[in-house]
mmCIF file of all heavy atoms in Angstrom:
data_model
loop_
_atom_site.group_PDB
_atom_site.id
_atom_site.type_symbol
_atom_site.label_atom_id
_atom_site.label_comp_id
_atom_site.label_asym_id
_atom_site.label_seq_id
_atom_site.Cartn_x
_atom_site.Cartn_y
_atom_site.Cartn_z
ATOM 1 N N ALA A 54 2.306 66.781 -0.326
ATOM 2 C CA ALA A 54 1.020 66.152 0.056
ATOM 3 C C ALA A 54 0.993 64.639 -0.283
ATOM 4 O O ALA A 54 0.596 63.860 0.568
ATOM 5 C CB ALA A 54 -0.131 66.856 -0.621
ATOM 6 N N LEU A 55 1.483 64.342 -1.438
ATOM 7 C CA LEU A 55 1.494 62.893 -1.864
ATOM 8 C C LEU A 55 2.469 62.110 -0.970
ATOM 9 O O LEU A 55 2.201 61.006 -0.560
ATOM 10 C CB LEU A 55 1.875 62.736 -3.306
ATOM 11 C CG LEU A 55 0.840 63.230 -4.323
ATOM 12 C CD1 LEU A 55 1.397 63.224 -5.687
ATOM 13 C CD2 LEU A 55 -0.427 62.415 -4.179
ATOM 14 N N GLY A 56 3.619 62.714 -0.660
ATOM 15 C CA GLY A 56 4.584 62.056 0.207
ATOM 16 C C GLY A 56 4.076 61.838 1.593
ATOM 17 O O GLY A 56 4.245 60.752 2.182
ATOM 18 N N LEU A 57 3.361 62.819 2.134
ATOM 19 C CA LEU A 57 2.792 62.693 3.503
ATOM 20 C C LEU A 57 1.688 61.629 3.506
ATOM 21 O O LEU A 57 1.483 60.879 4.454
ATOM 22 C CB LEU A 57 2.329 64.030 4.011
ATOM 23 C CG LEU A 57 3.440 65.042 4.309
ATOM 24 C CD1 LEU A 57 2.837 66.328 4.700
ATOM 25 C CD2 LEU A 57 4.385 64.504 5.351
ATOM 26 N N ALA A 58 0.932 61.602 2.420
ATOM 27 C CA ALA A 58 -0.101 60.541 2.312
ATOM 28 C C ALA A 58 0.573 59.153 2.226
ATOM 29 O O ALA A 58 0.055 58.174 2.753
ATOM 30 C CB ALA A 58 -0.957 60.778 1.094
ATOM 31 N N GLY A 59 1.698 59.138 1.535
ATOM 32 C CA GLY A 59 2.461 57.862 1.468
ATOM 33 C C GLY A 59 2.963 57.457 2.823
ATOM 34 O O GLY A 59 2.998 56.249 3.177
ATOM 35 N N ILE A 60 3.394 58.381 3.642
ATOM 36 C CA ILE A 60 3.826 58.082 5.017
ATOM 37 C C ILE A 60 2.630 57.526 5.804
ATOM 38 O O ILE A 60 2.784 56.634 6.596
ATOM 39 C CB ILE A 60 4.458 59.334 5.667
ATOM 40 C CG1 ILE A 60 5.819 59.577 5.036
ATOM 41 C CG2 ILE A 60 4.558 59.121 7.171
ATOM 42 C CD1 ILE A 60 6.509 60.823 5.547
ATOM 43 N N GLY A 61 1.468 58.126 5.608
ATOM 44 C CA GLY A 61 0.258 57.570 6.221
ATOM 45 C C GLY A 61 -0.001 56.166 5.831
ATOM 46 O O GLY A 61 -0.420 55.317 6.633
ATOM 47 N N ARG A 62 0.205 55.826 4.582
ATOM 48 C CA ARG A 62 0.024 54.425 4.142
ATOM 49 C C ARG A 62 1.112 53.547 4.750
ATOM 50 O O ARG A 62 0.790 52.351 5.003
ATOM 51 C CB ARG A 62 0.131 54.337 2.645
ATOM 52 C CG ARG A 62 -1.150 54.820 1.962
ATOM 53 C CD ARG A 62 -1.073 54.459 0.482
ATOM 54 N NE ARG A 62 -2.396 54.768 -0.112
ATOM 55 C CZ ARG A 62 -2.870 54.114 -1.103
ATOM 56 N NH1 ARG A 62 -2.112 53.176 -1.681
ATOM 57 N NH2 ARG A 62 -4.002 54.415 -1.560
ATOM 58 N N LEU A 63 2.294 54.073 4.943
ATOM 59 C CA LEU A 63 3.326 53.284 5.577
ATOM 60 C C LEU A 63 2.936 52.914 7.044
ATOM 61 O O LEU A 63 3.148 51.822 7.523
ATOM 62 C CB LEU A 63 4.637 54.032 5.551
ATOM 63 C CG LEU A 63 5.448 54.068 4.285
ATOM 64 C CD1 LEU A 63 6.576 55.046 4.387
ATOM 65 C CD2 LEU A 63 5.926 52.700 3.963
ATOM 66 N N ARG A 64 2.365 53.870 7.708
ATOM 67 C CA ARG A 64 1.994 53.650 9.114
ATOM 68 C C ARG A 64 0.875 52.619 9.258
ATOM 69 O O ARG A 64 0.781 51.947 10.233
ATOM 70 C CB ARG A 64 1.573 54.947 9.763
ATOM 71 C CG ARG A 64 2.780 55.884 9.950
ATOM 72 C CD ARG A 64 2.419 57.108 10.711
ATOM 73 N NE ARG A 64 3.589 57.934 10.871
ATOM 74 C CZ ARG A 64 3.605 59.124 11.372
ATOM 75 N NH1 ARG A 64 2.457 59.676 11.749
ATOM 76 N NH2 ARG A 64 4.702 59.779 11.484
ATOM 77 N N THR A 65 0.005 52.555 8.256
ATOM 78 C CA THR A 65 -1.030 51.587 8.284
ATOM 79 C C THR A 65 -0.669 50.249 7.575
ATOM 80 O O THR A 65 -1.543 49.419 7.368
ATOM 81 C CB THR A 65 -2.354 52.146 7.656
ATOM 82 O OG1 THR A 65 -2.082 52.478 6.319
ATOM 83 C CG2 THR A 65 -2.855 53.350 8.444
ATOM 84 N N ALA A 66 0.573 50.136 7.153
ATOM 85 C CA ALA A 66 1.162 48.941 6.520
ATOM 86 C C ALA A 66 0.480 48.692 5.183
ATOM 87 O O ALA A 66 0.345 47.529 4.810
ATOM 88 C CB ALA A 66 1.061 47.735 7.451
ATOM 89 N N ARG A 67 0.044 49.715 4.489
ATOM 90 C CA ARG A 67 -0.511 49.509 3.158
ATOM 91 C C ARG A 67 0.533 49.830 2.077
ATOM 92 O O ARG A 67 0.196 49.737 0.901
ATOM 93 C CB ARG A 67 -1.755 50.363 2.960
ATOM 94 C CG ARG A 67 -2.915 49.871 3.804
ATOM 95 C CD ARG A 67 -4.214 50.599 3.460
ATOM 96 N NE ARG A 67 -4.031 51.989 3.787
ATOM 97 C CZ ARG A 67 -4.891 52.941 3.462
ATOM 98 N NH1 ARG A 67 -5.964 52.661 2.774
ATOM 99 N NH2 ARG A 67 -4.674 54.221 3.778
ATOM 100 N N ALA A 68 1.708 50.293 2.437
ATOM 101 C CA ALA A 68 2.772 50.576 1.453
ATOM 102 C C ALA A 68 4.083 49.998 2.065
ATOM 103 O O ALA A 68 4.176 49.766 3.227
ATOM 104 C CB ALA A 68 2.908 52.103 1.277
ATOM 105 N N THR A 69 5.035 49.891 1.163
ATOM 106 C CA THR A 69 6.291 49.250 1.601
ATOM 107 C C THR A 69 7.532 50.016 1.276
ATOM 108 O O THR A 69 8.616 49.555 1.411
ATOM 109 C CB THR A 69 6.423 47.845 0.886
ATOM 110 O OG1 THR A 69 6.391 48.045 -0.514
ATOM 111 C CG2 THR A 69 5.334 46.933 1.303
ATOM 112 N N ASN A 70 7.391 51.251 0.771
ATOM 113 C CA ASN A 70 8.544 51.996 0.275
ATOM 114 C C ASN A 70 8.910 53.172 1.212
ATOM 115 O O ASN A 70 8.801 54.347 0.894
ATOM 116 C CB ASN A 70 8.256 52.488 -1.127
ATOM 117 C CG ASN A 70 7.049 53.500 -1.142
ATOM 118 O OD1 ASN A 70 6.243 53.410 -0.260
ATOM 119 N ND2 ASN A 70 7.026 54.298 -2.169
ATOM 120 N N LYS A 71 9.371 52.790 2.382
ATOM 121 C CA LYS A 71 9.655 53.818 3.425
ATOM 122 C C LYS A 71 10.759 54.758 2.938
ATOM 123 O O LYS A 71 10.667 55.984 3.121
ATOM 124 C CB LYS A 71 10.033 53.133 4.682
ATOM 125 C CG LYS A 71 10.276 54.119 5.835
ATOM 126 C CD LYS A 71 10.615 53.361 7.138
ATOM 127 C CE LYS A 71 10.798 54.379 8.231
ATOM 128 N NZ LYS A 71 11.088 53.716 9.526
ATOM 129 N N ILE A 72 11.854 54.196 2.389
ATOM 130 C CA ILE A 72 12.965 55.049 1.989
ATOM 131 C C ILE A 72 12.575 56.003 0.834
ATOM 132 O O ILE A 72 12.859 57.195 0.855
ATOM 133 C CB ILE A 72 14.187 54.233 1.586
ATOM 134 C CG1 ILE A 72 14.675 53.461 2.802
ATOM 135 C CG2 ILE A 72 15.262 55.042 1.024
ATOM 136 C CD1 ILE A 72 15.740 52.428 2.515
ATOM 137 N N GLY A 73 11.883 55.464 -0.150
ATOM 138 C CA GLY A 73 11.438 56.276 -1.285
ATOM 139 C C GLY A 73 10.492 57.378 -0.879
ATOM 140 O O GLY A 73 10.567 58.497 -1.343
ATOM 141 N N THR A 74 9.545 57.060 0.001
ATOM 142 C CA THR A 74 8.608 58.049 0.449
ATOM 143 C C THR A 74 9.283 59.133 1.231
ATOM 144 O O THR A 74 9.018 60.350 1.091
ATOM 145 C CB THR A 74 7.486 57.406 1.318
ATOM 146 O OG1 THR A 74 6.906 56.395 0.489
ATOM 147 C CG2 THR A 74 6.491 58.383 1.722
ATOM 148 N N THR A 75 10.229 58.764 2.093
ATOM 149 C CA THR A 75 10.976 59.773 2.906
ATOM 150 C C THR A 75 11.819 60.668 1.973
ATOM 151 O O THR A 75 11.814 61.889 2.188
ATOM 152 C CB THR A 75 11.884 59.007 3.905
ATOM 153 O OG1 THR A 75 11.098 58.135 4.678
ATOM 154 C CG2 THR A 75 12.579 60.004 4.819
ATOM 155 N N ILE A 76 12.430 60.082 0.978
ATOM 156 C CA ILE A 76 13.206 60.853 0.050
ATOM 157 C C ILE A 76 12.312 61.790 -0.713
ATOM 158 O O ILE A 76 12.622 62.974 -0.988
ATOM 159 C CB ILE A 76 14.033 59.981 -0.883
ATOM 160 C CG1 ILE A 76 15.152 59.293 -0.108
ATOM 161 C CG2 ILE A 76 14.596 60.736 -2.066
ATOM 162 C CD1 ILE A 76 15.893 58.211 -0.890
ATOM 163 N N GLY A 77 11.132 61.314 -1.128
ATOM 164 C CA GLY A 77 10.155 62.170 -1.845
ATOM 165 C C GLY A 77 9.673 63.308 -1.044
ATOM 166 O O GLY A 77 9.546 64.416 -1.574
ATOM 167 N N VAL A 78 9.437 63.108 0.255
ATOM 168 C CA VAL A 78 8.995 64.209 1.139
ATOM 169 C C VAL A 78 10.123 65.227 1.251
ATOM 170 O O VAL A 78 9.908 66.427 1.161
ATOM 171 C CB VAL A 78 8.577 63.686 2.511
ATOM 172 C CG1 VAL A 78 8.432 64.776 3.501
ATOM 173 C CG2 VAL A 78 7.275 62.897 2.403
#
Side-chain angles (χ1 to χ4, degrees):
L55 291 174
L57 293 175
I60 288 176
R62 283 189 172 210
L63 283 170
R64 290 185 180 173
T65 61
R67 291 187 297 170
T69 57
N70 61 337
K71 183 177 183 178
I72 295 172
T74 303
T75 305
I76 290 171
V78 168

